[in-house]
Amino acid sequence: MTALHPSPTPNVRRTLLALAVVFVLLATTGWTAVRQQNGPVEPRAAALAAWEQARIGHRALPDPTSPPGVLARFFSSLGAGQAASLAERHPLVVGNLNGAPVTLRYRANRIALAQERRVEQWRARDGRLSAAGRDDASRRVHRYQSLLRPGRQILAFDPTGKGRVAEVFGDLDRAQRVSVIVPGVDTDVLTFERSRRRYSAPVGMAQSLYTAERAAAPSVRTAVIAWADYTSPSGVGLDASTGRLAAGGADRLVALTGALPGRAEVSLFCHSYGSVVCGVAARELPRRVRDMAVAGSPGMRAENAAGLGTDARVWAMRDADDWIKDVPYLKVGGLGHGADPMAPGFGARVLSAAGAVGHTGYFEPGTESLSNFAEIGVGSYRTVSCQDGNSACRSGIYGAEGARRA
């Protein structure tokens, strides 16, 4: 018997699957995901308002959104005492200014963290709050105490909403190579570091990569930034399926990379939704960003590597049991993130992820995924290992073709 309706083509099936995913997301989360944290004035907003009214001597303070070069010139015109005074009086502003000296930002953020810890200690004892509110405050106290431990270098801190934070490992001012880790969903001040599943959180990822880079090239001065300084989606819901939050994150990533001190070359290591952020940012990134490596990517909002509009080398990896491989790699009405960076037609340099397990195992010590990241981070391209054991991912890089891992 002849069928009245032919079977749908693969492209049609994928489109229908994507629409089904959208329907489920809307049915289970509604449109609540797009209504974000509106409420009373937050600490950062109050700090910016105070900065706008302040003076140093007879001089007005610069617009915090000024280009990094403008802010750098402003701070270089101050004496050490004046700069320290600004950090004391306006820590939530100075600690987040791209262009301010990084050591001054570390100092300002310690002050801001200590202030916010006192606020949360008070809230944790406030009987007017719900039990859930007091528990959240207690968790923040614990996190702020950890971030205040001696020797930690907090490059950015904002307690607004779920909170944003970034931390530096190594000497950022003297680094010859800088690596930036861009994490994915459910990243905020409370999930910035974890005791269990340590290497699935930004701090553990950065510590692991920094250690691996130092082992790979002891003579190279490196620094690694655990960068959770953007608002990420909460869970795998509607926000995770669109580029709305990625656009905001991309602006912040471009600002960060454009303001890093010195002339170090920069590598981005973008995990999960973080690869969407990197993809959106790619066209505007400064030329010093030489490598962009994505792991467990749901797509980069581009149909191929050329469509990213960057001169940076684009690398991709995914371990065999990462569930992300089952997402529909397409974009329908703004939902979805486009082509699979692992697909041959995308044009990324495909790396081995041997040893990694699951969606969050790429920075585990002893994995080939971490070794590959470290070798990219220090510029040792001849020793990266490609997915299929060949040299295809090293092609076109001077001095790297044909080399194989011993």
Side-chain angles (χ1 to χ4, degrees):
M1 183 172 70
T2 304
L4 296 176
H5 301 286
S7 299
T9 66
N11 284 338
V12 171
R13 283 198 297 270
R14 284 194 293 271
T15 301
L16 292 173
L17 176 59
L19 292 174
V21 169
V22 171
F23 177 81
V24 170
L25 289 173
L26 294 178
T28 55
T29 68
W31 292 102
T32 58
V34 301
R35 296 197 296 269
Q36 295 290 321
Q37 303 163 0
N38 295 318
V41 175
E42 294 280 2
R44 168 81 171 156
L48 289 169
W51 174 272
E52 185 177 348
Q53 299 301 318
R55 297 288 186 274
I56 186 152
H58 298 292
R59 300 168 62 187
L61 302 182
D63 184 341
T65 63
S66 299
V70 171
L71 294 172
R73 287 191 292 274
F74 168 77
F75 280 98
S76 67
S77 73
L78 302 179
Q82 290 177 311
S85 175
L86 282 181
E88 292 276 351
R89 289 159 46 203
H90 305 281
L92 273 178
V93 179
V94 175
N96 294 282
L97 283 181
N98 289 314
V102 293
T103 51
L104 187 67
R105 291 179 66 172
Y106 300 158
R107 179 174 182 171
N109 285 319
R110 288 192 66 81
I111 296 168
L113 279 160
Q115 292 176 349
E116 289 301 314
R117 179 180 59 181
R118 289 192 291 271
V119 170
E120 296 301 333
Q121 286 171 332
W122 179 83
R123 293 181 67 245
R125 298 188 297 267
D126 188 351
R128 294 170 298 177
L129 289 181
S130 66
R134 293 194 300 273
D135 179 66
D136 179 75
S138 295
R139 293 175 66 203
R140 287 201 177 218
V141 169
H142 175 76
R143 174 61 62 242
Y144 297 162
Q145 287 174 337
S146 176
L147 293 173
L148 281 165
R149 288 200 308 265
R152 299 195 72 167
Q153 302 178 134
I154 306 303
L155 184 67
F157 168 65
D158 182 356
T160 303
K162 293 186 176 182
R164 298 193 296 250
V165 63
E167 182 173 10
V168 175
F169 297 88
D171 188 337
L172 192 56
D173 279 319
R174 298 181 63 250
Q176 297 167 302
R177 307 274 308 194
V178 175
S179 298
V180 182
I181 292 174
V182 185
V185 302
D186 290 327
T187 299
D188 55 43
V189 73
L190 291 178
T191 61
F192 186 57
E193 55 185 329
R194 293 189 175 102
S195 299
R196 291 181 294 178
R197 299 175 58 238
R198 174 183 174 189
Y199 302 111
S200 65
V203 168
M205 293 176 177
Q207 290 173 325
S208 182
L209 181 59
Y210 182 58
T211 298
E213 287 184 351
R214 295 182 72 187
S219 63
V220 177
R221 298 191 302 274
T222 64
V224 178
I225 302 175
W227 189 76
D229 194 25
Y230 82 103
T231 301
S232 74
S234 296
V236 187
L238 185 62
D239 274 337
S241 301
T242 73
R244 186 180 70 87
L245 293 179
D251 289 342
R252 300 183 70 82
L253 183 60
V254 170
L256 168 79
T257 53
L260 292 173
R263 298 182 178 180
E265 292 191 349
V266 178
S267 301
L268 304 181
F269 299 95
C270 319
H271 177 246
S272 193
Y273 190 84
S275 68
V276 184
V277 175
C278 290
V280 175
R283 193 173 298 275
E284 302 300 325
L285 291 169
R287 292 184 64 85
R288 69 189 303 184
V289 177
R290 302 307 302 147
D291 294 282
M292 183 185 304
V294 302
S297 175
M300 301 181 73
R301 301 194 74 79
E303 291 309 306
N304 50 51
L308 293 169
T310 178
D311 292 331
R313 286 173 286 265
V314 180
W315 309 80
M317 69 167 66
R318 184 172 63 223
D319 69 68
D321 56 358
D322 188 338
W323 59 263
I324 204 77
K325 67 180 183 296
D326 296 321
V327 305
Y329 282 95
L330 43 79
K331 192 160 59 172
V332 180
L335 293 156
H337 303 303
D340 181 0
M342 293 288 292
F346 189 84
R349 300 170 181 273
V350 181
L351 295 161
S352 169
V357 177
H359 187 58
T360 59
Y362 296 98
F363 290 86
E364 288 279 348
T367 59
E368 205 155 73
S369 51
L370 177 64
S371 296
N372 276 330
F373 283 164
E375 286 156 359
I376 291 169
V378 300
S380 183
Y381 304 109
R382 68 185 183 280
T383 51
V384 298
S385 58
C386 306
Q387 183 186 46
D388 297 321
N390 55 34
S391 62
C393 69
R394 300 189 294 268
S395 65
I397 303 176
Y398 177 75
E401 297 94 331
R404 294 183 181 277
R405 189 186 302 276

